Amino acid sequence: MRLTQYFLPVLRETPAEAQIASHRLMLRAGMIRQAAAGIYSWLPLGYKVLRRLEQIVHEEQQRAGHIPLLMPTLQAADLWRESGRYDDYGAEMLRIKDRHERDMLYGPTNEELITDIFRSAVTSYKDLPLTLYHIQWKFRDEMRPRFGVMRGREFLMKDGYNFDLTVEDALHAYNRHMVSYIRTYERMGLKAIPMRADGGPIGGDHTHEFLVLAPTGESAVFYDRAVTDLTLGDRGIDYADRGQVSDIVATWTAPYARTDERHDPEAFAAIPEERRVEGRGIEVGQIFFFGTKYSEPMRAVVVNEQGERVPVQMGSHGIGVSRLVGALIEANHDDRGIIWPEGVTPFHAGIVNLKQGDHACDAESLSLYAGLRAAGLDPLYDDREERAGAKFATMDLIGLPWRLTVGPRGLASGKVELTSRRTGESEDLSPEAAIARLREIYAGI
RNA sequence: CGGGGCGUGGCGCAGCCUGGUAGCGCGCUGGUUUUGGGUACCAGAGGCCGCGAGUUCGAAUCUCGCCGCCCCGACCA
């Protein structure tokens, strides 16, 4: 994309309402614009990141054998009356009446809807196991939305639901989700730690939250430093292999890691002091096993091998996709702006033409631009009539991990400069070598 | 929901106390200049001062009501 043909309304000054880094930077980098309290429009740059995260979530879910579908944002109240949650959910649920005075609601989650779909289509144990998920906008009428997309009222979430015949099968689904989530966050360049947590309105006693460590997180967390050393890497995982999956879960859940709700000071004190960490975290996902909590009241039953009708064992699992954009920035920024991990960056590299209008610089910039695209990469070429300082400042702000600088000084010796946003380190390379380097960096991402 | 604060060109703010033709910086437009970390200068454009009522000869400014937004707290798959 050429910047003069894009829509990137960056702000030089920080809007007064933004308190935390991710909110400030998302507004300044032209990623979002507030539409109402806790409700945001996603401008092109922000939308690109959001879609990239969606894509990673889709890939990892499907790799784990989970099946995508799409349920609506508006739901009929009747289903929620059936589960008993129409009254239980309280003021956080946005209730709407249609023209016929029918009670509707903007879905805060989808257990009821998915259970309804399931029970109308599945009647036999032979159709199990089944895990369905979607990525859809949710609405929760928070008392106090804040921190930009970190605590919005409208937010994009991946929510998935597993249906199994036995508790054992459902626990395997639980484990499968934990492993696929760990891999998902890793691909995004995040360290998200599974922590024992409370059930909340969804319910269930078997539940973990995934927390991204960041000083601005809303949850206090206590953990054994050993857990942050764990890495899944690109090892092959057979999600059907119960032993392999549960071994990974065992490894990740062995070190002490709890949010304050479930904190056990005694167990914490037993950890060697140098490994004890108290910090803050941002909740970016949660997984639950809740058995027959919904299947019983909503009569989601299958016939088992013995010909008996039994309620299915269920679990649900969520990833806060829009919140992740904020969490990524909280975990990856400096005083000049955002620093995107390669896995989620909206553009792979920025091209800064230091002397727009100079024939040699223009030609080399365009040639790099074409070369990167030919290599399957997605560059952002800053072709504005701006001074070098302004272009550098914009690139630093929007946080592309790699920058190619084209200027008369370097071109005199046939070189362009490749700079890492994270380390600030630069090297002078021929244009061909620079393209090759970037291709290598992004290989496999 | 309790407490506090703020609504003035796109953004950041001043003016309000003590009513009298709406200002500053950034950004924007045209031009000159400059060109390896937000250049300097010249000339411009852009505002029902959140909305409504009231007081007054006169309201951004005073009074009342409403709406919106932010912060702290409680709450939070």
Side-chain angles (χ1 to χ4, degrees), chain A residues 364-436:
Chain A
E364 190 53 61
S365 297
L366 278 171
S367 153
L368 272 174
Y369 180 66
L372 288 168
R373 287 165 64 99
L377 297 172
D378 185 13
L380 179 67
Y381 169 27
D382 189 346
D383 56 345
R384 294 174 302 167
E385 296 284 347
E386 285 284 355
R387 289 178 56 84
K391 292 190 176 186
F392 287 142
T394 298
M395 280 298 169
D396 289 346
L397 174 63
I398 69 173
L400 308 185
W402 297 95
R403 186 185 79 208
L404 284 164
T405 308
V406 179
R409 202 180 288 172
L411 284 190
S413 53
K415 297 290 177 67
V416 297
E417 186 184 61
L418 179 66
T419 307
S420 159
R421 173 69 179 84
R422 192 173 289 276
T423 67
E425 284 164 19
S426 292
E427 55 182 323
D428 291 330
L429 298 168
S430 70
E432 301 71 34
I435 292 170

Side-chain angles (χ1 to χ4, degrees), chain A residues 33 74 134 216 228 261 286 315 330 341 346 416:
Chain A
R33 180 140 306 186
L74 291 176
H134 73 340
T216 46
T228 56
E261 302 154 333
Q286 187 159 10
E330 287 299 328
V416 297

Side-chain angles (χ1 to χ4, degrees), chain A residues 323-357:
Chain A
R323 173 181 285 185
L324 268 169
V325 180
L328 274 158
I329 295 171
E330 287 299 328
N332 298 284
H333 71 274
D334 61 18
D335 53 1
R336 298 198 310 266
I338 302 166
I339 307 172
W340 293 115
E342 275 86 355
V344 299
T345 183
F347 293 97
H348 294 118
I351 300 168
V352 169
N353 183 348
L354 291 178
K355 195 167 184 180
Q356 205 70 42

Side-chain angles (χ1 to χ4, degrees), chain A residues 30-232:
Chain A
M31 294 178 67
I32 54 170
R33 180 140 306 186
Q34 182 166 351
I39 301 176
Y40 293 86
S41 296
W42 291 78
L43 305 185
L45 192 74
Y47 185 49
K48 223 159 181 268
V49 175
L50 190 66
R51 291 193 56 182
R52 174 68 187 141
L53 300 188
E54 265 189 282
Q55 183 194 345
I56 292 174
V57 171
H58 271 303
E59 287 173 9
E60 292 307 323
Q61 284 306 298
Q62 288 170 53
R63 205 196 297 264
H66 308 155
I67 302 166
L69 49 64
L70 186 61
M71 292 178 273
T73 53
L74 291 176
Q75 306 179 23
D78 287 351
L79 270 177
W80 286 70
R81 293 201 172 96
E82 192 177 335
S83 72
R85 285 207 297 177
Y86 191 66
D87 296 321
D88 292 352
Y89 220 94
E92 287 217 340
M93 183 151 70
L94 180 64
R95 294 150 209 263
I96 303 161
K97 274 191 199 297
D98 70 10
R99 67 193 299 164
H100 302 295
E101 295 288 305
R102 283 185 292 237
D103 292 320
M104 310 286 291
L105 57 98
Y106 195 125
T109 176
N110 290 70
E111 278 83 0
E112 282 75 3
L113 214 43
I114 194 77
T115 306
D116 185 52
I117 290 169
F118 177 88
R119 70 182 174 185
S120 68
V122 176
T123 51
S124 161
Y125 77 96
K126 291 178 186 168
D127 295 321
L128 304 184
L130 181 65
T131 297
L132 301 169
Y133 77 94
H134 73 340
I135 299 178
Q136 176 63 292
W137 293 93
K138 306 286 188 291
F139 196 95
R140 290 176 57 191
D141 203 355
E142 295 279 350
M143 267 186 251
R144 182 148 94 90
R146 60 185 126 168
F147 304 147
V149 301
M150 301 277 284
R151 187 155 213 77
R153 292 194 292 171
E154 188 184 57
F155 56 97
L156 187 63
M157 174 172 151
K158 171 262 165 181
D159 48 318
Y161 307 89
N162 67 283
F163 304 91
D164 288 282
L165 182 62
T166 66
V167 171
E168 192 185 40
D169 291 350
L171 288 175
H172 172 58
Y174 186 86
N175 290 342
R176 216 171 49 225
H177 278 87
M178 184 178 292
V179 174
S180 69
Y181 278 26
I182 291 168
R183 169 156 273 179
T184 299
Y185 297 124
E186 260 188 32
R187 276 190 64 189
M188 295 174 182
L190 280 175
K191 183 68 80 178
I193 303 173
M195 299 192 178
R196 286 254 219 110
D198 267 347
I202 299 273
D205 18 72
H206 213 109
T207 175
H208 280 85
E209 284 180 346
F210 289 79
L211 280 290
V212 169
L213 300 174
T216 46
E218 288 193 90
S219 315
V221 296
F222 303 83
Y223 61 94
D224 179 340
R225 201 182 295 283
V227 75
T228 56
D229 296 334
L230 298 169
T231 313
L232 213 46

